[in-house]
PDB file of all heavy atoms in Angstrom:
ATOM      1  N   ARG A   1       1.785  -9.337   6.011  1.00 98.00           N
ATOM      2  CA  ARG A   1       2.358  -9.364   4.650  1.00 98.00           C
ATOM      3  C   ARG A   1       1.665  -8.297   3.824  1.00 98.00           C
ATOM      4  O   ARG A   1       0.436  -8.255   3.766  1.00 98.00           O
ATOM      5  CB  ARG A   1       2.172 -10.738   4.028  1.00 98.00           C
ATOM      6  CG  ARG A   1       2.872 -10.895   2.727  1.00 98.00           C
ATOM      7  CD  ARG A   1       4.374 -11.048   2.942  1.00 98.00           C
ATOM      8  NE  ARG A   1       5.011 -11.195   1.655  1.00 98.00           N
ATOM      9  CZ  ARG A   1       6.187 -10.688   1.356  1.00 98.00           C
ATOM     10  NH1 ARG A   1       6.875 -10.034   2.248  1.00 98.00           N
ATOM     11  NH2 ARG A   1       6.688 -10.854   0.160  1.00 98.00           N
ATOM     12  N   LEU A   2       2.449  -7.436   3.158  1.00 98.00           N
ATOM     13  CA  LEU A   2       1.958  -6.235   2.491  1.00 98.00           C
ATOM     14  C   LEU A   2       2.334  -6.198   1.014  1.00 98.00           C
ATOM     15  O   LEU A   2       3.421  -6.640   0.630  1.00 98.00           O
ATOM     16  CB  LEU A   2       2.593  -5.021   3.191  1.00 98.00           C
ATOM     17  CG  LEU A   2       2.511  -3.664   2.516  1.00 98.00           C
ATOM     18  CD1 LEU A   2       1.106  -3.083   2.626  1.00 98.00           C
ATOM     19  CD2 LEU A   2       3.526  -2.726   3.143  1.00 98.00           C
ATOM     20  N   ARG A   3       1.450  -5.635   0.206  1.00 98.00           N
ATOM     21  CA  ARG A   3       1.716  -5.302  -1.202  1.00 98.00           C
ATOM     22  C   ARG A   3       1.303  -3.854  -1.420  1.00 98.00           C
ATOM     23  O   ARG A   3       0.204  -3.454  -1.025  1.00 98.00           O
ATOM     24  CB  ARG A   3       0.930  -6.186  -2.168  1.00 98.00           C
ATOM     25  CG  ARG A   3       1.391  -7.604  -2.196  1.00 98.00           C
ATOM     26  CD  ARG A   3       2.699  -7.732  -2.999  1.00 98.00           C
ATOM     27  NE  ARG A   3       3.095  -9.104  -3.075  1.00 98.00           N
ATOM     28  CZ  ARG A   3       4.108  -9.643  -2.403  1.00 98.00           C
ATOM     29  NH1 ARG A   3       4.841  -8.908  -1.615  1.00 98.00           N
ATOM     30  NH2 ARG A   3       4.409 -10.899  -2.529  1.00 98.00           N
ATOM     31  N   LYS A   4       2.183  -3.064  -2.053  1.00 98.00           N
ATOM     32  CA  LYS A   4       1.896  -1.665  -2.392  1.00 98.00           C
ATOM     33  C   LYS A   4       1.950  -1.512  -3.906  1.00 98.00           C
ATOM     34  O   LYS A   4       2.717  -2.200  -4.576  1.00 98.00           O
ATOM     35  CB  LYS A   4       2.920  -0.714  -1.768  1.00 98.00           C
ATOM     36  CG  LYS A   4       2.805  -0.594  -0.261  1.00 98.00           C
ATOM     37  CD  LYS A   4       3.769   0.460   0.267  1.00 98.00           C
ATOM     38  CE  LYS A   4       3.731   0.564   1.766  1.00 98.00           C
ATOM     39  NZ  LYS A   4       2.623   1.330   2.279  1.00 98.00           N
ATOM     40  N   GLU A   5       1.153  -0.580  -4.436  1.00 98.00           N
ATOM     41  CA  GLU A   5       1.126  -0.304  -5.867  1.00 98.00           C
ATOM     42  C   GLU A   5       1.126   1.206  -6.067  1.00 98.00           C
ATOM     43  O   GLU A   5       0.326   1.920  -5.449  1.00 98.00           O
ATOM     44  CB  GLU A   5      -0.138  -0.904  -6.484  1.00 98.00           C
ATOM     45  CG  GLU A   5      -0.325  -0.590  -7.936  1.00 98.00           C
ATOM     46  CD  GLU A   5      -1.681  -1.047  -8.469  1.00 98.00           C
ATOM     47  OE1 GLU A   5      -2.500  -1.595  -7.694  1.00 98.00           O
ATOM     48  OE2 GLU A   5      -1.928  -0.835  -9.651  1.00 98.00           O
ATOM     49  N   LEU A   6       2.012   1.682  -6.921  1.00 98.00           N
ATOM     50  CA  LEU A   6       2.046   3.100  -7.258  1.00 98.00           C
ATOM     51  C   LEU A   6       0.730   3.492  -7.901  1.00 98.00           C
ATOM     52  O   LEU A   6       0.249   2.825  -8.819  1.00 98.00           O
ATOM     53  CB  LEU A   6       3.202   3.386  -8.223  1.00 98.00           C
ATOM     54  CG  LEU A   6       3.294   4.814  -8.755  1.00 98.00           C
ATOM     55  CD1 LEU A   6       3.583   5.800  -7.624  1.00 98.00           C
ATOM     56  CD2 LEU A   6       4.370   4.892  -9.838  1.00 98.00           C
ATOM     57  N   TRP A   7       0.140   4.574  -7.427  1.00 98.00           N
ATOM     58  CA  TRP A   7      -1.118   5.075  -7.976  1.00 98.00           C
ATOM     59  C   TRP A   7      -0.859   6.330  -8.795  1.00 98.00           C
ATOM     60  O   TRP A   7      -1.351   6.469  -9.904  1.00 98.00           O
ATOM     61  CB  TRP A   7      -2.104   5.333  -6.840  1.00 98.00           C
ATOM     62  CG  TRP A   7      -3.503   5.502  -7.285  1.00 98.00           C
ATOM     63  CD1 TRP A   7      -4.193   6.675  -7.408  1.00 98.00           C
ATOM     64  CD2 TRP A   7      -4.415   4.480  -7.679  1.00 98.00           C
ATOM     65  NE1 TRP A   7      -5.469   6.435  -7.843  1.00 98.00           N
ATOM     66  CE2 TRP A   7      -5.633   5.093  -8.020  1.00 98.00           C
ATOM     67  CE3 TRP A   7      -4.311   3.087  -7.770  1.00 98.00           C
ATOM     68  CZ2 TRP A   7      -6.743   4.383  -8.447  1.00 98.00           C
ATOM     69  CZ3 TRP A   7      -5.423   2.379  -8.186  1.00 98.00           C
ATOM     70  CH2 TRP A   7      -6.615   3.015  -8.519  1.00 98.00           C
ATOM     71  N   ALA A   8      -0.085   7.275  -8.237  1.00 98.00           N
ATOM     72  CA  ALA A   8       0.227   8.526  -8.922  1.00 98.00           C
ATOM     73  C   ALA A   8       1.448   9.159  -8.249  1.00 98.00           C
ATOM     74  O   ALA A   8       1.812   8.783  -7.143  1.00 98.00           O
ATOM     75  CB  ALA A   8      -0.961   9.485  -8.845  1.00 98.00           C
ATOM     76  N   TYR A   9       2.063  10.126  -8.941  1.00 98.00           N
ATOM     77  CA  TYR A   9       3.202  10.836  -8.361  1.00 98.00           C
ATOM     78  C   TYR A   9       3.300  12.238  -8.965  1.00 98.00           C
ATOM     79  O   TYR A   9       2.764  12.496 -10.038  1.00 98.00           O
ATOM     80  CB  TYR A   9       4.516  10.072  -8.583  1.00 98.00           C
ATOM     81  CG  TYR A   9       4.925  10.024 -10.034  1.00 98.00           C
ATOM     82  CD1 TYR A   9       5.785  10.978 -10.566  1.00 98.00           C
ATOM     83  CD2 TYR A   9       4.422   9.046 -10.878  1.00 98.00           C
ATOM     84  CE1 TYR A   9       6.132  10.952 -11.905  1.00 98.00           C
ATOM     85  CE2 TYR A   9       4.765   9.015 -12.216  1.00 98.00           C
ATOM     86  CZ  TYR A   9       5.622   9.965 -12.721  1.00 98.00           C
ATOM     87  OH  TYR A   9       5.964   9.948 -14.042  1.00 98.00           O
ATOM     88  N   THR A  10       3.948  13.131  -8.225  1.00 98.00           N
ATOM     89  CA  THR A  10       4.322  14.453  -8.708  1.00 98.00           C
ATOM     90  C   THR A  10       5.765  14.672  -8.274  1.00 98.00           C
ATOM     91  O   THR A  10       6.442  13.721  -7.874  1.00 98.00           O
ATOM     92  CB  THR A  10       3.414  15.570  -8.136  1.00 98.00           C
ATOM     93  OG1 THR A  10       3.577  15.615  -6.724  1.00 98.00           O
ATOM     94  CG2 THR A  10       1.961  15.352  -8.491  1.00 98.00           C
ATOM     95  N   ASP A  11       6.222  15.893  -8.295  1.00 98.00           N
ATOM     96  CA  ASP A  11       7.624  16.176  -7.967  1.00 98.00           C
ATOM     97  C   ASP A  11       8.076  15.569  -6.649  1.00 98.00           C
ATOM     98  O   ASP A  11       9.057  14.849  -6.596  1.00 98.00           O
ATOM     99  CB  ASP A  11       7.871  17.689  -7.941  1.00 98.00           C
ATOM    100  CG  ASP A  11       7.809  18.311  -9.331  1.00 98.00           C
ATOM    101  OD1 ASP A  11       7.983  17.578 -10.322  1.00 98.00           O
ATOM    102  OD2 ASP A  11       7.578  19.522  -9.413  1.00 98.00           O
ATOM    103  N   ASP A  12       7.362  15.862  -5.549  1.00 98.00           N
ATOM    104  CA  ASP A  12       7.793  15.384  -4.235  1.00 98.00           C
ATOM    105  C   ASP A  12       6.718  14.582  -3.506  1.00 98.00           C
ATOM    106  O   ASP A  12       6.808  14.384  -2.301  1.00 98.00           O
ATOM    107  CB  ASP A  12       8.263  16.541  -3.354  1.00 98.00           C
ATOM    108  CG  ASP A  12       7.152  17.523  -2.997  1.00 98.00           C
ATOM    109  OD1 ASP A  12       6.056  17.450  -3.595  1.00 98.00           O
ATOM    110  OD2 ASP A  12       7.392  18.365  -2.110  1.00 98.00           O
ATOM    111  N   ARG A  13       5.725  14.124  -4.253  1.00 98.00           N
ATOM    112  CA  ARG A  13       4.627  13.358  -3.638  1.00 98.00           C
ATOM    113  C   ARG A  13       4.375  12.070  -4.404  1.00 98.00           C
ATOM    114  O   ARG A  13       4.514  12.019  -5.618  1.00 98.00           O
ATOM    115  CB  ARG A  13       3.343  14.181  -3.610  1.00 98.00           C
ATOM    116  CG  ARG A  13       3.475  15.383  -2.712  1.00 98.00           C
ATOM    117  CD  ARG A  13       2.235  16.202  -2.702  1.00 98.00           C
ATOM    118  NE  ARG A  13       2.405  17.321  -1.780  1.00 98.00           N
ATOM    119  CZ  ARG A  13       1.498  18.224  -1.552  1.00 98.00           C
ATOM    120  NH1 ARG A  13       0.320  18.158  -2.151  1.00 98.00           N
ATOM    121  NH2 ARG A  13       1.732  19.204  -0.715  1.00 98.00           N
ATOM    122  N   ILE A  14       3.943  11.050  -3.653  1.00 98.00           N
ATOM    123  CA  ILE A  14       3.585   9.748  -4.225  1.00 98.00           C
ATOM    124  C   ILE A  14       2.298   9.295  -3.563  1.00 98.00           C
ATOM    125  O   ILE A  14       2.116   9.444  -2.355  1.00 98.00           O
ATOM    126  CB  ILE A  14       4.702   8.698  -3.988  1.00 98.00           C
ATOM    127  CG1 ILE A  14       5.970   9.090  -4.753  1.00 98.00           C
ATOM    128  CG2 ILE A  14       4.229   7.304  -4.395  1.00 98.00           C
ATOM    129  CD1 ILE A  14       7.154   8.172  -4.496  1.00 98.00           C
ATOM    130  N   SER A  15       1.410   8.718  -4.359  1.00 98.00           N
ATOM    131  CA  SER A  15       0.175   8.126  -3.849  1.00 98.00           C
ATOM    132  C   SER A  15       0.206   6.638  -4.172  1.00 98.00           C
ATOM    133  O   SER A  15       0.578   6.247  -5.277  1.00 98.00           O
ATOM    134  CB  SER A  15      -1.029   8.797  -4.525  1.00 98.00           C
ATOM    135  OG  SER A  15      -2.227   8.215  -4.078  1.00 98.00           O
ATOM    136  N   VAL A  16      -0.151   5.822  -3.183  1.00 98.00           N
ATOM    137  CA  VAL A  16      -0.166   4.364  -3.374  1.00 98.00           C
ATOM    138  C   VAL A  16      -1.492   3.785  -2.908  1.00 98.00           C
ATOM    139  O   VAL A  16      -2.198   4.374  -2.096  1.00 98.00           O
ATOM    140  CB  VAL A  16       0.983   3.656  -2.605  1.00 98.00           C
ATOM    141  CG1 VAL A  16       2.335   4.131  -3.082  1.00 98.00           C
ATOM    142  CG2 VAL A  16       0.857   3.820  -1.114  1.00 98.00           C
ATOM    143  N   ARG A  17      -1.823   2.627  -3.470  1.00 98.00           N
ATOM    144  CA  ARG A  17      -2.892   1.792  -2.935  1.00 98.00           C
ATOM    145  C   ARG A  17      -2.196   0.557  -2.399  1.00 98.00           C
ATOM    146  O   ARG A  17      -1.105   0.202  -2.859  1.00 98.00           O
ATOM    147  CB  ARG A  17      -3.945   1.447  -3.989  1.00 98.00           C
ATOM    148  CG  ARG A  17      -3.411   0.543  -5.085  1.00 98.00           C
ATOM    149  CD  ARG A  17      -4.462  -0.238  -5.845  1.00 98.00           C
ATOM    150  NE  ARG A  17      -5.183  -1.167  -5.016  1.00 98.00           N
ATOM    151  CZ  ARG A  17      -4.754  -2.373  -4.640  1.00 98.00           C
ATOM    152  NH1 ARG A  17      -3.575  -2.817  -5.008  1.00 98.00           N
ATOM    153  NH2 ARG A  17      -5.496  -3.144  -3.898  1.00 98.00           N
ATOM    154  N   PHE A  18      -2.777  -0.065  -1.396  1.00 98.00           N
ATOM    155  CA  PHE A  18      -2.121  -1.230  -0.810  1.00 98.00           C
ATOM    156  C   PHE A  18      -3.158  -2.170  -0.227  1.00 98.00           C
ATOM    157  O   PHE A  18      -4.318  -1.821  -0.027  1.00 98.00           O
ATOM    158  CB  PHE A  18      -1.118  -0.816   0.278  1.00 98.00           C
ATOM    159  CG  PHE A  18      -1.747  -0.122   1.452  1.00 98.00           C
ATOM    160  CD1 PHE A  18      -2.254  -0.836   2.514  1.00 98.00           C
ATOM    161  CD2 PHE A  18      -1.843   1.253   1.471  1.00 98.00           C
ATOM    162  CE1 PHE A  18      -2.848  -0.196   3.598  1.00 98.00           C
ATOM    163  CE2 PHE A  18      -2.432   1.910   2.548  1.00 98.00           C
ATOM    164  CZ  PHE A  18      -2.932   1.182   3.611  1.00 98.00           C
ATOM    165  N   GLU A  19      -2.694  -3.387   0.012  1.00 98.00           N
ATOM    166  CA  GLU A  19      -3.452  -4.327   0.828  1.00 98.00           C
ATOM    167  C   GLU A  19      -2.441  -5.152   1.595  1.00 98.00           C
ATOM    168  O   GLU A  19      -1.317  -5.366   1.151  1.00 98.00           O
ATOM    169  CB  GLU A  19      -4.413  -5.185   0.016  1.00 98.00           C
ATOM    170  CG  GLU A  19      -3.811  -6.211  -0.870  1.00 98.00           C
ATOM    171  CD  GLU A  19      -4.882  -7.027  -1.603  1.00 98.00           C
ATOM    172  OE1 GLU A  19      -5.994  -6.540  -1.839  1.00 98.00           O
ATOM    173  OE2 GLU A  19      -4.572  -8.170  -1.929  1.00 98.00           O
ATOM    174  N   TYR A  20      -2.860  -5.543   2.792  1.00 98.00           N
ATOM    175  CA  TYR A  20      -2.029  -6.444   3.574  1.00 98.00           C
ATOM    176  C   TYR A  20      -2.919  -7.426   4.309  1.00 98.00           C
ATOM    177  O   TYR A  20      -4.113  -7.197   4.487  1.00 98.00           O
ATOM    178  CB  TYR A  20      -1.077  -5.696   4.523  1.00 98.00           C
ATOM    179  CG  TYR A  20      -1.678  -4.802   5.572  1.00 98.00           C
ATOM    180  CD1 TYR A  20      -1.983  -5.284   6.842  1.00 98.00           C
ATOM    181  CD2 TYR A  20      -1.894  -3.455   5.319  1.00 98.00           C
ATOM    182  CE1 TYR A  20      -2.493  -4.457   7.827  1.00 98.00           C
ATOM    183  CE2 TYR A  20      -2.396  -2.609   6.298  1.00 98.00           C
ATOM    184  CZ  TYR A  20      -2.697  -3.115   7.554  1.00 98.00           C
ATOM    185  OH  TYR A  20      -3.190  -2.283   8.531  1.00 98.00           O
ATOM    186  N   GLU A  21      -2.311  -8.553   4.664  1.00 98.00           N
ATOM    187  CA  GLU A  21      -3.022  -9.600   5.395  1.00 98.00           C
ATOM    188  C   GLU A  21      -2.251  -9.903   6.672  1.00 98.00           C
ATOM    189  O   GLU A  21      -1.030  -9.792   6.719  1.00 98.00           O
ATOM    190  CB  GLU A  21      -3.157 -10.855   4.533  1.00 98.00           C
ATOM    191  CG  GLU A  21      -4.062 -10.623   3.334  1.00 98.00           C
ATOM    192  CD  GLU A  21      -4.136 -11.798   2.376  1.00 98.00           C
ATOM    193  OE1 GLU A  21      -3.309 -12.743   2.490  1.00 98.00           O
ATOM    194  OE2 GLU A  21      -5.012 -11.770   1.505  1.00 98.00           O
ATOM    195  N   TRP A  22      -2.999 -10.305   7.672  1.00 98.00           N
ATOM    196  CA  TRP A  22      -2.449 -10.590   8.983  1.00 98.00           C
ATOM    197  C   TRP A  22      -3.496 -11.355   9.781  1.00 98.00           C
ATOM    198  O   TRP A  22      -4.640 -11.451   9.371  1.00 98.00           O
ATOM    199  CB  TRP A  22      -2.067  -9.284   9.694  1.00 98.00           C
ATOM    200  CG  TRP A  22      -3.198  -8.308   9.809  1.00 98.00           C
ATOM    201  CD1 TRP A  22      -3.663  -7.472   8.824  1.00 98.00           C
ATOM    202  CD2 TRP A  22      -4.030  -8.075  10.946  1.00 98.00           C
ATOM    203  NE1 TRP A  22      -4.731  -6.733   9.290  1.00 98.00           N
ATOM    204  CE2 TRP A  22      -4.971  -7.075  10.589  1.00 98.00           C
ATOM    205  CE3 TRP A  22      -4.068  -8.598  12.238  1.00 98.00           C
ATOM    206  CZ2 TRP A  22      -5.936  -6.596  11.478  1.00 98.00           C
ATOM    207  CZ3 TRP A  22      -5.028  -8.120  13.119  1.00 98.00           C
ATOM    208  CH2 TRP A  22      -5.944  -7.129  12.735  1.00 98.00           C
ATOM    209  N   HIS A  23      -3.074 -11.924  10.898  1.00 98.00           N
ATOM    210  CA  HIS A  23      -4.058 -12.533  11.794  1.00 98.00           C
ATOM    211  C   HIS A  23      -3.844 -12.016  13.207  1.00 98.00           C
ATOM    212  O   HIS A  23      -2.757 -11.588  13.581  1.00 98.00           O
ATOM    213  CB  HIS A  23      -4.034 -14.072  11.740  1.00 98.00           C
ATOM    214  CG  HIS A  23      -2.805 -14.698  12.308  1.00 98.00           C
ATOM    215  ND1 HIS A  23      -2.637 -14.944  13.646  1.00 98.00           N
ATOM    216  CD2 HIS A  23      -1.676 -15.148  11.708  1.00 98.00           C
ATOM    217  CE1 HIS A  23      -1.469 -15.521  13.858  1.00 98.00           C
ATOM    218  NE2 HIS A  23      -0.852 -15.644  12.683  1.00 98.00           N
ATOM    219  N   ASP A  24      -4.927 -12.051  13.976  1.00 98.00           N
ATOM    220  CA  ASP A  24      -4.856 -11.604  15.367  1.00 98.00           C
ATOM    221  C   ASP A  24      -4.481 -12.781  16.259  1.00 98.00           C
ATOM    222  O   ASP A  24      -4.299 -13.917  15.793  1.00 98.00           O
ATOM    223  CB  ASP A  24      -6.167 -10.922  15.787  1.00 98.00           C
ATOM    224  CG  ASP A  24      -7.389 -11.817  15.654  1.00 98.00           C
ATOM    225  OD1 ASP A  24      -7.267 -13.066  15.726  1.00 98.00           O
ATOM    226  OD2 ASP A  24      -8.490 -11.260  15.483  1.00 98.00           O
ATOM    227  N   ALA A  25      -4.365 -12.534  17.547  1.00 98.00           N
ATOM    228  CA  ALA A  25      -3.954 -13.565  18.505  1.00 98.00           C
ATOM    229  C   ALA A  25      -4.947 -14.713  18.586  1.00 98.00           C
ATOM    230  O   ALA A  25      -4.575 -15.837  18.930  1.00 98.00           O
ATOM    231  CB  ALA A  25      -3.749 -12.940  19.881  1.00 98.00           C
ATOM    232  N   ALA A  26      -6.215 -14.457  18.241  1.00 98.00           N
ATOM    233  CA  ALA A  26      -7.238 -15.506  18.265  1.00 98.00           C
ATOM    234  C   ALA A  26      -7.219 -16.357  16.998  1.00 98.00           C
ATOM    235  O   ALA A  26      -7.958 -17.336  16.905  1.00 98.00           O
ATOM    236  CB  ALA A  26      -8.622 -14.881  18.448  1.00 98.00           C
TER     237      ALA A  26
END
C-alpha cells in the first residue's frame, strides 16, 4: 500500500516523496 506526495515540479519534471507498507512471506 503506497502514498505519494508532490514535492516539486517544473515544465516536464516532477519530484515526489512517498512511503509504502508491505509484509514479507515470513
Side-chain angles (χ1 to χ4, degrees):
R1 187 75 180 143
L2 166 74
R3 290 284 183 253
K4 290 185 183 280
E5 175 188 1
L6 175 65
W7 195 257
Y9 68 93
T10 63
D11 290 339
D12 65 348
R13 295 179 178 180
I14 294 176
S15 178
V16 299
R17 67 158 297 280
F18 63 87
E19 70 179 27
Y20 60 91
E21 293 175 348
W22 56 281
H23 68 84
D24 59 27

